[in-house]
Amino acid sequence: MSENKNISSISEDIGNQTTIYRTRWKNDNFLKLTKNLVEIGKNFYSRGWVLGTSGNFSAVTSREPLCLAITSKGSDKGRLTPAQFLEIDGVGNVVRNGDGRDEQQPSAEASLHLAVIRCTNADAVLHTHSIWSTVLSDMHASRGGIVLEGYEMLKGLDGVGTHQHKEYLPILENSQDMIELAQRVSATLQEYNGIHGFLLRGHGLYTWGVSLEEAIHNVEILEFLMEVLVRSAQARGSAVSL
Amino acid sequence: MSENKNISSISEDIGNQTTIYRTRWKNDNFLKLTKNLVEIGKNFYSRGWVLGTSGNFSAVTSREPLCLAITSKGSDKGRLTPAQFLEIDGVGNVVRNGDGRDEQQPSAEASLHLAVIRCTNADAVLHTHSIWSTVLSDMHASRGGIVLEGYEMLKGLDGVGTHQHKEYLPILENSQDMIELAQRVSATLQEYNGIHGFLLRGHGLYTWGVSLEEAIHNVEILEFLMEVLVRSAQARGSAVSL
Amino acid sequence: MSENKNISSISEDIGNQTTIYRTRWKNDNFLKLTKNLVEIGKNFYSRGWVLGTSGNFSAVTSREPLCLAITSKGSDKGRLTPAQFLEIDGVGNVVRNGDGRDEQQPSAEASLHLAVIRCTNADAVLHTHSIWSTVLSDMHASRGGIVLEGYEMLKGLDGVGTHQHKEYLPILENSQDMIELAQRVSATLQEYNGIHGFLLRGHGLYTWGVSLEEAIHNVEILEFLMEVLVRSAQARGSAVSL
Amino acid sequence: MSENKNISSISEDIGNQTTIYRTRWKNDNFLKLTKNLVEIGKNFYSRGWVLGTSGNFSAVTSREPLCLAITSKGSDKGRLTPAQFLEIDGVGNVVRNGDGRDEQQPSAEASLHLAVIRCTNADAVLHTHSIWSTVLSDMHASRGGIVLEGYEMLKGLDGVGTHQHKEYLPILENSQDMIELAQRVSATLQEYNGIHGFLLRGHGLYTWGVSLEEAIHNVEILEFLMEVLVRSAQARGSAVSL
């Protein structure tokens, strides 16, 4: 599914931004997308991928002009409600607050979501925070990334047709300076064109997709393979004898 | 339960394939089996055995002529609906599309399911994609297989009466050439008569049963024992002292 | 709760066994206990403690004469119904079949349940089949048992008031000869008076309680501590540096 | 949310303790808080953090005078009902029994909850009993504590703005002498002002928050980081090669 098509056609006939938003409010997919993101949050929470207030999710509600639904700062991803989402425009300004008031802010990492959406064909960005991505991203930070290769599971990634594919998962140093970090994200996505995700050191996974469905697949596939990577190395290290 | 008995008796009186299918459509077990497979998918997804779009399931809907219900390509196994199944005949042609349209294809691995059903007495084939089967199948590929022995859990496998049973689980190299791989699967099942499953390297487990129930047991038993095998070796490797 | 008190008082006024059973059928706790055991099965299945057809559960329905509700052979412990239980007497004869027919048999390990109930004050016996009990029971079989000591969790065991308690968990060699194995179970329970469970090698945990509630606690406590034991040894082995 | 504000205003106009309690019973948050704690118990039980009868929870129902809702001794944290809570005052006396009778006692560790509430600004205290806290607290007891540093997840802790924060998690020797242990808890909280939790050796985690929500976050964050710590060390120990 490509969430932005309806919106594009709606906005075609309309000349200014205010009108576009008004139209979108009547006939929009903000509510539909946030309901889906609420379910994703429950699922990922049950798997331990968004504990505490960690993780954040976004989905494109409009391409022209660019708008995203995004989780609010400090929300519990396992207990989200549509009211805990905001709609932001392409420079991060809030154009709609899910709770109808001005009390909540978008996720602090909104600029990373925007960077991903600008550099890829993604309509959805999911950031998770698992044990395995935390372990691997810290452990291999000095190598700059990890390679996933030889696994059938890779075929679930968009555009990958064989287990012999080499998927590169870059690791970026973590930072609290979101402007600087967004620039490094953009540079990384330009350098490694076609990758499906990246890690922030000691922080977690960013992945995306042309639809929420594809973004979910990418989370599940990359999380699975990171766990396989660590457990394989440990099994080899202990020289499993049969 | 043996799902094929009703169908066989229905098909006895009927001379040509078209008629058989029409009869089966009125009074068939396609819907019943796919509903069961939907539940299996939810269960296995919650255990992390069919993440992404991995895994695929089939069940025999008719023996004469041979027909299977099988999951469609790229479907999410944790969120299946009966509409996401197809019915294929013994050479892999689609004879029924669960969504009533021609938009979906059977799983790319349909020919492996057919190979298993032709070489065994199976009425159901389940393919899972767990962490442990991925780890073990890659690690021990060069030995050609692994042996499971001395575990009470083995008694749950059809025809096994003691924990002293030796169960051989062959490991086949993975391939994207399904014709060639199906031939290797058939050859393996003929060589190791009476086995209950096999692994594809870096890919996962295939197992089966004379009923869906038995196939579920085999998945659970073999997945359990693969995890035990790796964790035992690691526990011994770290010399647990009490 | 002590399930046998009602029954005892009912049986006081009644002279022969047939009458007792008739009375118990009118006013019994078979159905109540089996409903509780169904819920226990779902819970334990979700934790991976009774996969395949492994595990079996029993609860005393009558003390004079001794009768137990027990799971039937080959049943799925995660999907039990009250119909999948039988009532057996103190020598293992079936006095009631939950499905109202004679088609199912009690668990093959019924004699072990009877041995536990005769040697302890237990009104409920739960046998689970976890990864950790399988790993530990195989690994330490030659030592004859393991010691659990220094953990606050031990205080949840009946009669234990401090974490400094030493709990001994004997390991018995597995066998398919249930008469011989039941004798070894009885001898073990007499030798190690006051223990709360034992392991069968490569097979799993038996534990019990004066009530179902206490038996559940004992399963959870002993399973928890076995996992802690293996993971602690591995953490020490890899010399966790902070 | 700060649960104590309503209560404070209610108690302002009222001169003696009896009246305060009567007022609070009409218009109180005991029931609301215990319902929330019931849900927390289910969630934590499903994650394996409060198995057996382990763990205990409390929440402030009144500040002037100080009163807490607290779980009763020996209750199953995964199957709590509001009736299984008590309300105690600032010296541990029971002022209300959730079951309306005098049959249950507050958790044996009530004095630790009171110590935490007196030394911090907490309105809720959650004690969990996980595999990882048991492993780590035993293994590093001799060092007196562990340091968590460099993880984005730390930002979820109240007052922490960067992953570069160093969080100290003291480890106290376990004891059955609750008066003596409460004194050590108080001393530790005074010495390490601003910490978010502590471990009892072989026993588990205590953490807290100005609201139940914040206390849940702290449990999830600290449990996550303890697991990361052990798994990272093991992954490094086995020299994961990519």
Side-chain angles (χ1 to χ4, degrees):
Chain A
M1 59 175 173
S2 174
E3 299 298 347
N4 60 317
K5 281 175 189 161
N6 271 339
I7 290 304
S8 298
S9 66
I10 290 170
S11 59
E12 271 167 15
D13 307 327
I14 299 170
N16 69 53
Q17 198 167 303
T18 315
T19 319
I20 291 167
Y21 293 143
R22 200 177 305 127
T23 307
R24 214 157 26 78
W25 285 37
K26 282 189 198 148
N27 184 17
D28 75 340
N29 48 21
F30 178 83
L31 195 64
K32 195 187 92 190
L33 289 168
T34 55
K35 280 184 181 172
N36 288 339
L37 291 166
V38 166
E39 291 309 308
I40 291 170
K42 281 184 197 163
N43 181 6
F44 288 2
Y45 179 74
S46 75
R47 296 191 185 274
W49 293 344
V50 288
L51 294 179
T53 57
S54 74
N56 37 68
F57 313 143
S58 71
V60 170
T61 53
S62 160
R63 274 286 169 187
E64 299 289 340
L66 180 62
C67 289
L68 318 186
I70 191 162
T71 42
S72 62
K73 201 171 182 170
S75 51
D76 288 7
K77 305 313 170 297
R79 291 176 280 265
L80 287 169
T81 63
Q84 286 176 301
F85 287 81
L86 298 108
E87 196 165 12
I88 58 171
D89 66 17
V91 293
N93 292 323
V94 177
V95 295
R96 176 174 178 171
N97 207 316
D99 68 357
R101 292 174 298 176
D102 296 330
E103 290 175 12
Q104 52 190 5
Q105 294 180 286
S107 165
E109 297 171 33
S111 56
L112 307 190
H113 288 248
L114 286 166
V116 170
I117 285 165
R118 290 198 182 284
C119 296
T120 69
N121 61 347
D123 264 4
V125 180
L126 301 176
H127 165 44
T128 49
H129 210 124
S130 72
I131 295 286
W132 304 106
S133 65
T134 307
V135 168
L136 271 179
S137 65
D138 191 35
M139 187 172 174
H140 293 293
S142 64
R143 314 168 73 134
I146 56 181
V147 176
L148 302 165
E149 184 183 10
Y151 296 109
E152 181 72 13
M153 190 59 99
L154 290 164
K155 277 180 65 192
L157 298 173
D158 182 45
V160 176
T162 169
H163 60 286
Q164 290 163 334
H165 172 76
K166 276 194 194 194
E167 179 74 21
Y168 186 61
L169 199 57
I171 303 173
L172 284 73
E173 280 296 324
N174 197 19
S175 171
Q176 300 306 325
D177 178 344
M178 288 300 141
I179 296 169
E180 183 268 340
L181 185 53
Q183 285 167 348
R184 280 193 283 128
V185 166
S186 297
T188 301
L189 293 174
Q190 278 150 20
E191 184 175 355
Y192 304 103
N193 190 33
I195 59 171
H196 295 81
F198 60 85
L199 298 175
L200 297 181
R201 181 177 186 172
H203 183 156
L205 171 71
Y206 268 83
T207 185
W208 50 85
V210 295
S211 65
L212 276 177
E213 210 173 21
E214 189 178 302
I216 296 170
H217 292 166
N218 289 356
V219 170
E220 293 184 359
I221 291 164
L222 295 172
E223 289 291 355
F224 177 92
L225 290 172
M226 287 190 280
E227 183 173 348
V228 164
L229 215 62
V230 184
R231 292 201 188 274
S232 284
Q234 290 178 333
R236 286 175 199 279
S238 60
V240 175
S241 61
L242 308 172
Chain B
M1 57 175 175
S2 174
E3 299 298 345
N4 62 317
K5 280 174 190 161
N6 271 340
I7 290 305
S8 298
S9 66
I10 290 169
S11 59
E12 271 166 15
D13 308 327
I14 298 168
N16 67 54
Q17 199 167 302
T18 315
T19 318
I20 291 167
Y21 292 143
R22 201 178 303 130
T23 308
R24 211 155 29 77
W25 285 38
K26 282 189 199 147
N27 185 17
D28 74 340
N29 48 21
F30 178 83
L31 196 64
K32 195 187 92 191
L33 288 168
T34 55
K35 279 184 182 172
N36 289 339
L37 291 166
V38 166
E39 290 309 309
I40 290 171
K42 281 183 197 163
N43 180 5
F44 288 2
Y45 179 74
S46 76
R47 295 192 185 274
W49 293 344
V50 289
L51 293 179
T53 56
S54 74
N56 37 68
F57 313 143
S58 72
V60 170
T61 53
S62 160
R63 274 286 169 186
E64 298 290 338
L66 180 62
C67 289
L68 317 186
I70 191 163
T71 41
S72 61
K73 201 173 182 168
S75 51
D76 288 6
K77 305 313 171 295
R79 291 176 280 265
L80 288 169
T81 63
Q84 286 175 302
F85 287 81
L86 299 107
E87 196 166 12
I88 58 170
D89 65 17
V91 293
N93 293 323
V94 177
V95 296
R96 177 175 177 170
N97 207 317
D99 68 358
R101 292 173 298 178
D102 296 329
E103 291 176 10
Q104 52 190 5
Q105 294 181 285
S107 165
E109 297 172 31
S111 55
L112 307 190
H113 288 248
L114 285 166
V116 170
I117 284 165
R118 290 199 183 283
C119 296
T120 68
N121 61 347
D123 264 4
V125 180
L126 300 176
H127 165 44
T128 49
H129 210 124
S130 72
I131 296 286
W132 304 107
S133 65
T134 307
V135 168
L136 270 178
S137 64
D138 191 35
M139 187 172 174
H140 294 293
S142 64
R143 316 169 72 133
I146 58 181
V147 176
L148 302 165
E149 184 183 9
Y151 297 109
E152 180 73 12
M153 191 59 100
L154 291 164
K155 277 180 64 192
L157 299 173
D158 183 44
V160 176
T162 169
H163 60 285
Q164 290 162 335
H165 172 77
K166 273 194 195 195
E167 179 74 20
Y168 186 62
L169 199 57
I171 303 171
L172 285 74
E173 279 296 323
N174 196 19
S175 172
Q176 300 306 324
D177 179 345
M178 288 300 140
I179 295 170
E180 182 269 338
L181 185 52
Q183 285 167 349
R184 280 194 282 127
V185 166
S186 297
T188 300
L189 292 174
Q190 278 151 20
E191 183 175 355
Y192 304 103
N193 190 32
I195 58 171
H196 295 81
F198 60 85
L199 298 174
L200 297 181
R201 181 178 186 172
H203 183 155
L205 172 70
Y206 268 83
T207 185
W208 50 83
V210 296
S211 64
L212 277 176
E213 210 173 20
E214 189 178 302
I216 297 170
H217 291 167
N218 290 355
V219 170
E220 292 183 0
I221 291 163
L222 295 171
E223 289 290 355
F224 178 91
L225 291 172
M226 287 191 279
E227 183 173 348
V228 164
L229 216 63
V230 183
R231 292 202 188 272
S232 283
Q234 290 178 334
R236 286 176 199 280
S238 61
V240 175
S241 60
L242 308 172
Chain C
M1 59 175 175
S2 174
E3 300 297 347
N4 61 317
K5 280 175 188 160
N6 270 340
I7 291 304
S8 299
S9 64
I10 290 170
S11 58
E12 272 168 14
D13 308 328
I14 299 168
N16 69 53
Q17 199 165 302
T18 315
T19 318
I20 291 167
Y21 291 143
R22 201 178 305 129
T23 308
R24 209 154 30 77
W25 286 37
K26 283 188 199 148
N27 185 17
D28 73 340
N29 47 23
F30 178 83
L31 196 64
K32 196 187 92 191
L33 289 168
T34 55
K35 279 184 182 172
N36 289 339
L37 291 165
V38 166
E39 291 308 308
I40 290 171
K42 281 183 197 163
N43 181 5
F44 288 2
Y45 179 74
S46 76
R47 295 193 185 273
W49 293 345
V50 289
L51 293 179
T53 56
S54 74
N56 38 68
F57 313 144
S58 72
V60 171
T61 54
S62 160
R63 274 287 169 186
E64 297 291 338
L66 181 61
C67 289
L68 319 185
I70 192 163
T71 41
S72 61
K73 201 172 183 168
S75 53
D76 288 7
K77 305 312 170 298
R79 289 176 281 266
L80 288 169
T81 63
Q84 286 176 302
F85 286 81
L86 298 107
E87 197 165 10
I88 58 171
D89 66 16
V91 293
N93 293 324
V94 177
V95 295
R96 176 176 179 171
N97 208 317
D99 68 358
R101 293 174 298 178
D102 296 330
E103 290 176 9
Q104 53 189 4
Q105 293 180 287
S107 165
E109 296 171 31
S111 55
L112 307 190
H113 288 248
L114 285 166
V116 169
I117 285 165
R118 290 200 181 283
C119 296
T120 68
N121 61 347
D123 264 4
V125 180
L126 300 176
H127 165 44
T128 48
H129 209 124
S130 72
I131 295 286
W132 304 107
S133 65
T134 306
V135 168
L136 271 179
S137 65
D138 191 36
M139 187 172 174
H140 294 294
S142 64
R143 315 169 73 132
I146 57 181
V147 176
L148 302 165
E149 184 183 9
Y151 296 109
E152 180 73 12
M153 191 60 101
L154 291 164
K155 277 181 64 192
L157 299 173
D158 182 45
V160 176
T162 169
H163 60 286
Q164 289 162 335
H165 171 77
K166 274 194 195 194
E167 179 74 21
Y168 186 61
L169 200 57
I171 302 172
L172 284 74
E173 279 296 323
N174 197 20
S175 171
Q176 300 307 324
D177 178 345
M178 288 299 140
I179 295 169
E180 182 268 340
L181 185 52
Q183 284 167 350
R184 279 193 282 128
V185 165
S186 296
T188 300
L189 292 174
Q190 278 150 21
E191 184 175 356
Y192 303 103
N193 190 33
I195 58 172
H196 295 81
F198 61 85
L199 297 174
L200 297 181
R201 182 178 186 173
H203 183 155
L205 171 71
Y206 267 83
T207 185
W208 50 84
V210 296
S211 64
L212 277 176
E213 209 173 22
E214 189 178 302
I216 297 170
H217 292 166
N218 289 356
V219 170
E220 293 182 0
I221 291 164
L222 296 171
E223 289 291 355
F224 177 92
L225 291 172
M226 287 190 279
E227 183 172 348
V228 164
L229 215 62
V230 184
R231 292 201 188 273
S232 284
Q234 290 179 333
R236 285 175 200 280
S238 60
V240 174
S241 60
L242 309 171
Chain D
M1 57 176 174
S2 175
E3 300 297 348
N4 62 317
K5 281 175 188 159
N6 271 339
I7 291 304
S8 298
S9 64
I10 290 169
S11 58
E12 272 167 15
D13 309 327
I14 298 168
N16 68 55
Q17 200 166 300
T18 315
T19 317
I20 292 167
Y21 292 144
R22 200 178 305 129
T23 307
R24 212 156 27 79
W25 285 36
K26 281 188 199 148
N27 185 18
D28 74 340
N29 48 22
F30 178 83
L31 196 64
K32 195 187 91 191
L33 289 169
T34 55
K35 279 184 182 174
N36 289 338
L37 291 166
V38 166
E39 291 308 308
I40 291 171
K42 282 183 197 163
N43 181 5
F44 288 2
Y45 178 74
S46 75
R47 296 191 185 273
W49 294 344
V50 289
L51 294 179
T53 56
S54 74
N56 38 67
F57 314 143
S58 71
V60 171
T61 54
S62 160
R63 274 286 170 187
E64 298 290 338
L66 180 61
C67 289
L68 319 185
I70 191 162
T71 42
S72 61
K73 200 172 183 170
S75 53
D76 288 7
K77 304 313 170 296
R79 291 176 279 266
L80 288 168
T81 63
Q84 286 175 302
F85 286 81
L86 298 107
E87 196 165 12
I88 58 172
D89 66 18
V91 292
N93 293 324
V94 176
V95 295
R96 176 174 178 172
N97 207 318
D99 68 358
R101 293 175 296 177
D102 296 330
E103 290 176 10
Q104 52 189 5
Q105 294 180 285
S107 165
E109 296 172 32
S111 56
L112 307 190
H113 288 248
L114 285 167
V116 170
I117 285 165
R118 290 198 181 284
C119 296
T120 68
N121 62 346
D123 265 3
V125 180
L126 300 176
H127 165 44
T128 48
H129 210 125
S130 72
I131 295 285
W132 304 106
S133 65
T134 306
V135 168
L136 271 178
S137 64
D138 191 35
M139 187 172 174
H140 294 293
S142 63
R143 313 169 74 134
I146 57 181
V147 176
L148 301 164
E149 184 182 11
Y151 296 109
E152 181 72 12
M153 191 60 100
L154 291 164
K155 277 179 64 191
L157 300 173
D158 182 45
V160 177
T162 169
H163 60 286
Q164 290 163 334
H165 172 76
K166 275 194 195 194
E167 180 73 20
Y168 185 61
L169 200 57
I171 303 172
L172 284 73
E173 279 296 325
N174 197 19
S175 171
Q176 300 307 325
D177 178 343
M178 288 300 141
I179 296 169
E180 182 268 339
L181 185 52
Q183 284 166 349
R184 279 193 283 128
V185 165
S186 297
T188 300
L189 294 174
Q190 277 150 20
E191 184 175 355
Y192 303 103
N193 190 33
I195 58 172
H196 295 81
F198 60 85
L199 298 174
L200 296 181
R201 181 178 187 172
H203 183 155
L205 171 71
Y206 267 83
T207 185
W208 51 84
V210 296
S211 65
L212 277 177
E213 209 173 22
E214 189 179 303
I216 297 169
H217 291 167
N218 289 355
V219 170
E220 292 183 0
I221 291 164
L222 296 171
E223 290 290 356
F224 178 92
L225 291 172
M226 287 190 279
E227 182 173 349
V228 163
L229 215 62
V230 183
R231 292 201 187 273
S232 284
Q234 290 178 333
R236 286 175 200 279
S238 60
V240 175
S241 60
L242 309 172

